[in-house]
Amino acid sequence: MSEYKGSREAFVAAMTDLADKDPRVVFVSADSLKAARATNFAEKYPDRYFEAGIAEQNAVAMAAGLAACGLKPYVVTYGGFITMRACEQLRTFCAYTDLDVTFGGLNGGMIGGEREGVTHQALEDIGIVRTIPGVKVFAPADAAETYALAKAAGSLKGPVYFRLGSGREPDVFSPGTEVELGKLRKVLDYGNDVLLLSSGFVLDRVLKAAELLKAGGIGASVVEVHSLKPLDADGVVRELERCQVAVTIEDHTVIGGLGSAIAELAAERCPCRIQRLGIQDVFPESGPANTLADKYGLSPQAIADTARALAAGKGR
Amino acid sequence: MSQEIRKIEELARTIRRDIVEMVYLAKDGHPGPALSITDIVASLYGSLLRVNPSDPEWEGRDRFILSKGHACPAVYSALARRGFFSPELLPSLRALDSLLQGHPVMKKTPGIDMTSGSLGNGLSIGVGMALASGYTKKNFDVFVIMGDGELQEGIVWEGALSAFKYKLGRLIVFVDHNGWQSGASCNDVGGCVSVKSRFEAFGWHCQEIDGHDISAILQAVKNARAETNLPSVIIAETVKGKGVPFMENDNSWHKRVPSKEQYEEAMKILGGC
C-alpha cells in the first residue's frame, strides 16, 4: 500500500497509483508541484507533468484542452485559486463540457491554510463548486479517507473537486480504511438525542464533542459526509428522522457548504431544527490550527454546547 | 489561380450567404465578426484541417477552437457544407432544442472540438490540446481563431507563455485583426500596442497577412507547420463585415439583424438570389 502522511500526500499517492495503471492520467500544476507533494510524480512521469506557472486560469484551461483530447488531468493547487480565480474555466470548460478533470483544492478551510491567513484559506470553495452542474464535490476527513476516496473516484466520469487540507490534518481513520463513494459514514452511535453531521478535517473535534456529550448523559450520533455533491439524501433524511435535531460542523463558511446542503434537503423532505457550525460569515485570520479552530467556534466544547442546547429543546 | 483556391473561395461565398441568412432568420447573431473570419474558416475547412466528417471524434484529427465564439455562424456553415451535419439545420441557429447554440458547444454540435464564447480562453485550451498531441503521439495540429479584442484578456498571455515554454509548434493561432470589438475600436477600448510586437515579445513565430487572401492564408499555415519548434501566430488583417459592403467596417453590425431589404441586398451581392 502507498505511503503517505496528510491529505496532500494521500491524494497524490492515489493519483500516482491510478497513473501507474492508466496512461491517460496526467498532472497539471500552477507552480504547485511542491505544495501538492507531487515532486515524486513528476520525477516518475516527467512527460505527464504539465506546468502552467502561477496562472490558475491557464492551468484549468490547459486541463480542459488535455481532457478534450482524451486525457484525465489532475489539477492540484490552492482551492481558493481554483474555485475563485479559475472559477469560470472550471465551470464553462470543464463542467459544461463534462470533461474528466479532477481538481485537488489545497488549503481547504480556515485550518487548511492556517499559517498563511485569509488569502490562502479556501473558505468558500465548496459553496462555489456546489452550484455548478455536474461537478462532484468531495471533502474527506483525513489522509486515509482522502486516499480511499481519490482511488475510488478515479473511475468517475466528468469533473470532480476534492477538498484537501494543509497536509497536517489529524488522522481519524486507520490506513487502509474503506469508503463507499457518495454514502454517509456512521462513525459513532451513542444514541439519537442529537445528530452531529461532520464534513472535512474537523471530524476529530466532532468525535471529542460526542464524548463530552456522552459524559454529560447525551447520546449523539456522528455521521461523516464526505460527498457534498451528490449528497446521500436518503441517508441524511434517515438520520435526521431518527435524531430529529442536528448540528452541522464544517471548516467552511456556513453559507453554501455542508450546513446549507443539509438545511436545503431538510427543508424539502424532513423539516427539523438544524444548527450550522462553521465560519460564521466572517474572514478569520492566521494562527495555530487548533487555537484558530477554537476561536472561530469549532472547539469540541462549542460543538457539544450547541448540540446539548438543541437536544434540550427537542419537541418544544 | 489554382483549383484549390477557387474551391475555397466558392466555399467562402457560400459561408457568407449562410451567415447572412442564419442571422436574418434567427433574428439574432453576430454577422460582422463572422464575415470577418470567413476566408480563414473556409481555408481551414476547405483544405487545411485534417478532419473526417463521417467520424467527427476521430482521435487523430486536427483540432479547431473558435475562441471568438460569437462568430460561430461562419463555423456552423463550414461544418454543414463540409458534411458534419445537414445544411438544413443552419436556420435553427439559436433556436430552442437546436444543435446550433448561440455560441459553440462541443457536446451538442458534431465537429465542434471545444465549447467557446467566453472570450480569451481558446489559446490556453489550445495549449492543452497541443500538449496532448505531443504526449499521445497522435501529432495533430491545433488551430485557434481569436479576435483582436479578446487579446485584452489576461489568460491569453498566460497561455502564450506556456506555448512558448513547451515549444508548441503544433499550435497555430489566427488573430482576426479587424480592429473592432463590441464597444468601439480595439485601440480606443483596450489600448494601442501592436499585436505583432506582443506575440514577438512572447517568443512566437509571427506572420502578418491579408486575412481575405486565400493563397496568403494557405501559405502562412504552410510556413507555420514548417516551424516545429515555436507556436505560430498568423495576424490576419481583416475587414469586419467583409463581403457585404454596407456592413464593412460599420461596427453596428457587430451584433445586428438585417432588415428584409438589407437581407435581400446582401444575398444579391453574395450571389445568392
Side-chain angles (χ1 to χ4, degrees):
Chain A
M1 196 176 63
S2 293
E3 295 286 318
Y4 50 79
K5 184 168 178 11
S7 64
R8 297 183 183 189
E9 287 184 17
F11 186 75
V12 167
M15 178 184 81
T16 306
D17 287 353
L18 293 165
D20 289 343
K21 296 193 172 111
D22 187 349
R24 294 174 300 168
V25 172
V26 297
F27 177 73
V28 179
S29 159
D31 191 19
S32 45
L33 185 69
K34 283 192 210 164
R37 313 286 188 260
T39 310
N40 289 344
F41 178 92
E43 285 173 1
K44 188 173 186 182
Y45 295 118
D47 61 337
R48 295 159 75 173
Y49 154 52
F50 301 113
E51 180 58 72
I54 306 175
E56 291 77 14
Q57 297 178 24
N58 186 39
V60 176
M62 275 169 55
L66 289 160
C69 294
L71 301 179
K72 298 180 77 165
Y74 281 64
V75 185
V76 187
T77 187
Y78 297 97
F81 305 157
I82 291 173
T83 60
M84 293 191 284
R85 192 184 288 250
C87 180
E88 192 203 10
Q89 283 74 24
L90 190 165
R91 179 257 193 192
T92 301
F93 302 107
C94 298
Y96 185 35
T97 50
D98 195 28
L99 291 170
D100 296 341
V101 183
T102 300
F103 297 92
L106 308 174
N107 281 14
M110 172 177 62
I111 54 179
E114 85 279 18
R115 294 180 181 176
E116 287 87 358
V118 169
T119 56
H120 284 60
Q121 290 166 323
L123 307 167
E124 309 88 351
D125 56 336
I126 289 171
I128 292 166
V129 287
R130 210 166 64 82
T131 63
I132 300 173
V135 184
K136 297 170 188 74
V137 184
F138 299 126
D142 74 349
E145 192 176 63
T146 301
Y147 177 81
L149 274 175
K151 279 291 286 283
S155 58
L156 293 175
K157 300 295 290 175
V160 177
Y161 180 81
F162 266 90
R163 190 180 220 230
L164 307 173
S166 64
R168 297 179 288 275
E169 309 81 17
D171 290 326
V172 180
F173 300 112
S174 309
T177 188
E178 293 184 359
V179 65
E180 195 178 354
L181 199 66
K183 296 293 180 191
L184 295 186
R185 187 200 284 257
K186 178 75 80 71
V187 185
L188 204 61
D189 189 356
Y190 285 156
N192 58 6
D193 292 332
V194 60
L195 175 64
L196 304 180
L197 287 154
S198 174
S199 188
F201 306 116
V202 291
L203 182 56
D204 63 315
R205 296 173 164 268
V206 177
L207 292 172
K208 285 177 189 158
E211 298 298 340
L212 291 174
L213 288 165
K214 187 186 181 197
I218 294 171
S221 279
V222 176
V223 167
E224 190 246 339
V225 187
H226 65 250
S227 176
L228 281 304
K229 194 178 176 182
L231 188 63
D232 179 2
D234 289 344
V236 171
V237 168
R238 189 174 60 242
E239 294 297 329
L240 288 174
E241 285 177 341
R242 192 170 70 87
C243 296
Q244 295 170 37
V245 292
V247 184
T248 60
I249 306 101
E250 62 190 317
D251 183 6
H252 183 275
T253 167
V254 292
I255 301 169
L258 172 74
S260 288
I262 300 297
E264 289 157 13
L265 176 67
E268 290 184 347
R269 290 188 48 184
C270 58
C272 62
R273 283 293 311 279
I274 294 168
Q275 197 78 36
R276 293 168 301 145
L277 293 184
I279 314 298
Q280 300 294 333
D281 200 19
V282 295
F283 288 115
E285 59 193 291
S286 53
N290 283 327
T291 47
L292 192 62
D294 289 350
K295 175 173 176 180
Y296 285 88
L298 294 173
S299 69
Q301 192 62 55
I303 297 167
D305 290 347
T306 303
R308 190 180 298 110
L310 264 185
K314 264 169 93 164
R316 286 185 205 160
Chain B
M1 194 190 296
S2 79
Q3 196 178 341
E4 182 188 31
I5 290 172
R6 272 197 298 276
K7 190 186 81 176
I8 294 169
E9 285 181 344
E10 184 50 42
L11 176 60
R13 267 190 294 279
T14 304
I15 292 173
R16 286 197 161 91
R17 286 195 295 271
D18 285 342
I19 291 167
V20 171
E21 187 161 85
M22 289 166 85
V23 173
Y24 174 68
L25 293 175
K27 298 286 176 245
D28 200 10
H30 297 79
L35 292 165
S36 180
I37 64 168
T38 292
D39 297 299
I40 300 168
V41 170
S43 301
L44 288 171
Y45 284 95
S47 169
L48 295 165
L49 286 175
R50 292 168 292 212
V51 291
N52 181 359
S54 60
D55 184 10
E57 305 288 313
W58 170 43
E59 287 184 358
R61 71 190 186 279
D62 288 338
R63 303 309 199 270
F64 171 66
I65 303 170
L66 181 64
S67 190
K68 48 176 296 182
H70 56 285
C72 59
V75 175
Y76 291 160
S77 166
L79 288 170
R81 300 297 170 186
R82 185 68 199 269
F84 283 86
F85 51 84
S86 168
E88 289 176 9
L89 291 177
L90 292 175
S92 71
L93 173 72
R94 296 190 168 209
L96 202 61
D97 298 327
S98 172
L99 288 186
L100 307 180
Q101 293 289 293
H103 289 78
V105 179
M106 63 181 280
K107 292 281 163 96
K108 280 189 190 280
T109 311
I112 294 290
D113 292 322
M114 179 46 66
T115 296
S116 65
S118 161
L119 294 174
N121 292 288
L123 195 152
S124 269
I125 297 170
V127 167
M129 289 183 172
L131 288 169
S133 174
Y135 169 64
T136 61
K137 300 194 168 46
K138 303 277 186 204
N139 297 332
F140 49 81
D141 291 333
V142 180
F143 290 85
V144 182
I145 296 182
M146 312 197 70
D148 44 5
E150 68 174 315
L151 301 182
Q152 290 153 14
E153 292 279 5
I155 186 177
V156 174
W157 305 103
E158 298 179 3
L161 193 60
S162 293
F164 175 73
K165 176 192 167 191
Y166 281 104
K167 305 183 189 314
L168 297 178
R170 294 194 175 279
L171 180 63
I172 301 171
V173 173
F174 282 95
V175 173
D176 172 32
H177 196 6
N178 63 37
W180 295 99
Q181 57 192 94
S182 176
S185 82
C186 298
N187 287 349
D188 285 347
V189 174
C192 188
V193 176
S194 91
V195 172
K196 184 160 182 254
S197 67
R198 278 184 268 174
F199 277 97
E200 279 177 344
F202 279 78
W204 283 48
H205 174 248
C206 299
Q207 300 175 80
E208 289 177 302
I209 62 165
D210 174 349
H212 302 301
D213 178 342
I214 305 295
S215 61
I217 294 168
L218 298 183
Q219 183 59 47
V221 169
K222 193 174 176 189
N223 298 343
R225 278 180 158 151
E227 174 54 71
T228 56
N229 214 30
L230 288 177
S232 278
V233 63
I234 299 167
I235 301 158
E237 294 297 331
T238 51
V239 174
K240 197 164 180 173
K242 176 72 176 179
V244 180
F246 63 84
M247 293 186 185
E248 289 184 0
N249 273 321
D250 176 353
N251 205 39
S252 74
W253 290 99
H254 175 81
K255 186 172 193 286
R256 182 174 162 188
V257 179
S259 66
K260 185 166 183 292
E261 293 71 26
Q262 287 168 326
Y263 162 70
E264 286 169 354
E265 183 185 345
M267 292 303 272
K268 193 173 168 186
I269 292 164
L270 294 168
C273 54

